[in-house]
Amino acid sequence: MDADDIAFYREHGYWISPVIVPSDVLDAAERGMERFYAGDHDHALPDVPATRGWQPEDGDVLRKNDYSSLRVDELAALVHHPAIAATAAALSGAAGIRLWHDQLLYKPPGGSAAQVGWHTDRQYWQSCTSDEMLTAWVGFHDVDEVNGAVAFLPGSHRWSVTGLDFFSQDAAGLEASIVAQGYDPTPVVPRMRRGQVSFHHCRTVHGSSGNLSAAPRRSLAIHLQPADNRRRAGASHPNDTLVRHNPDPDYTDPAIQPLLWPRD
């Protein structure tokens, strides 16, 4: 990565890395994904709505499961891969990066129903995350417009668009709303090889089409915060049910130091 790459991210709100995740890490993560869905977990979490996500009885729909890396060690190894964190720190200009949380994603094949509507990550976490939070999206295989690659609206991290929805299947309706607010919904749909990672700003509008291929689209989204982010009075998030609390806003528990990566 060089200064031009960082400038591209800050101008367009997203950036696609070269191959930075080794095949063996992704091979292990694929095994971890299979174990996750089979209920073969290394660690248990409290049974609360935020930790449930997709369940087998939900059927062959878009699967989204938060906190998968806290349950399965092979997924944790991918989330903690140092090249991902170092890249996120450089793009955001942060001195260090902390894990916010992750989402295991599985898009079933053969149809257009499992779309991800145009949305921003920031719209869901306005009160409790940094303005410079960013997401690393890791496909477990090659991705393109056929199997539902993530699409971005360039420069949208500087917009003030509202009315977007991750779960909406009405792509035309969302795009009409974007146009009505004075913005251009023409997307960029990067093709990515296995091992590449896409990074996008928390305000960047993004989504994805259905998976028209014959195989599932499998991926992990990793949400990362600059290390100087602090809890805000009155803010709440399901993360609060999974962590210890300390009244000192500048305290970092040594037990979670592996989740803090310095830039240098």
Side-chain angles (χ1 to χ4, degrees):
M1 177 192 298
D2 57 25
D4 288 342
D5 297 322
I6 295 172
F8 182 96
Y9 169 80
R10 296 182 182 174
E11 172 67 20
H12 298 281
Y14 74 94
W15 181 73
I16 311 300
S17 81
V19 173
I20 61 173
V21 180
S23 291
D24 61 331
V25 175
L26 290 170
D27 291 344
E30 290 195 74
R31 294 192 296 271
M33 188 179 216
E34 292 176 359
R35 291 181 54 218
F36 181 91
Y37 291 135
D40 179 15
H41 298 171
D42 300 299
H43 313 282
L45 295 182
D47 183 21
V48 296
T51 63
R52 293 172 193 153
W54 177 88
Q55 300 293 312
E57 56 268 26
D58 295 329
D60 202 22
V61 297
L62 175 68
R63 306 180 190 181
K64 183 172 80 70
N65 293 89
D66 293 352
Y67 309 112
S68 62
S69 71
L70 299 184
R71 289 187 169 107
V72 175
D73 289 345
E74 292 95 334
L75 297 174
L78 173 57
V79 166
H80 295 173
H81 189 68
I84 295 174
T87 302
L91 291 172
S92 66
I97 286 290
R98 296 180 188 273
L99 174 65
W100 172 244
H101 77 81
D102 61 85
Q103 297 169 327
L104 192 65
L105 300 163
Y106 176 108
K107 186 176 290 191
S112 59
Q115 301 177 58
V116 173
W118 293 118
H119 69 285
T120 71
D121 299 329
R122 182 67 171 158
Q123 74 187 69
Y124 294 104
W125 304 320
Q126 291 189 39
S127 63
C128 49
T129 56
S130 166
D131 290 338
E132 297 302 322
M133 189 182 81
L134 69 168
T135 294
W137 187 91
V138 185
F140 291 177
H141 46 74
D142 294 355
V143 291
D144 56 25
E145 62 274 13
V146 175
N147 61 5
V150 179
F152 304 100
L153 301 188
S156 56
H157 58 310
R158 295 188 295 272
W159 297 358
S160 298
V161 65
T162 60
L164 306 181
D165 182 2
F166 178 100
F167 295 100
S168 175
Q169 301 299 299
D170 182 12
L174 291 179
E175 290 172 7
S177 175
I178 291 170
V179 170
Q181 295 176 68
Y183 302 109
D184 180 5
T186 304
V188 171
V189 188
R191 296 182 177 184
M192 294 170 53
R193 290 178 293 149
R194 191 175 192 247
Q196 290 186 280
V197 180
S198 73
F199 293 84
H200 64 264
H201 190 276
C202 63
R203 294 186 185 274
T204 299
V205 179
H206 60 289
S208 61
S209 61
N211 177 9
L212 301 179
S213 75
R217 195 212 70 177
R218 295 163 292 123
S219 63
L220 187 68
I222 307 167
H223 306 292
L224 301 164
Q225 296 256 38
D228 61 359
N229 189 65
R230 293 293 182 267
R231 179 180 175 86
R232 302 181 187 186
S236 63
H237 185 272
N239 282 13
D240 297 339
T241 65
L242 304 176
V243 298
R244 294 186 298 274
H245 295 266
N246 190 296
D248 180 358
D250 295 318
Y251 178 79
T252 297
D253 190 328
I256 64 167
Q257 279 296 328
L259 300 184
L260 175 62
W261 298 275
R263 288 183 61 187
D264 300 320

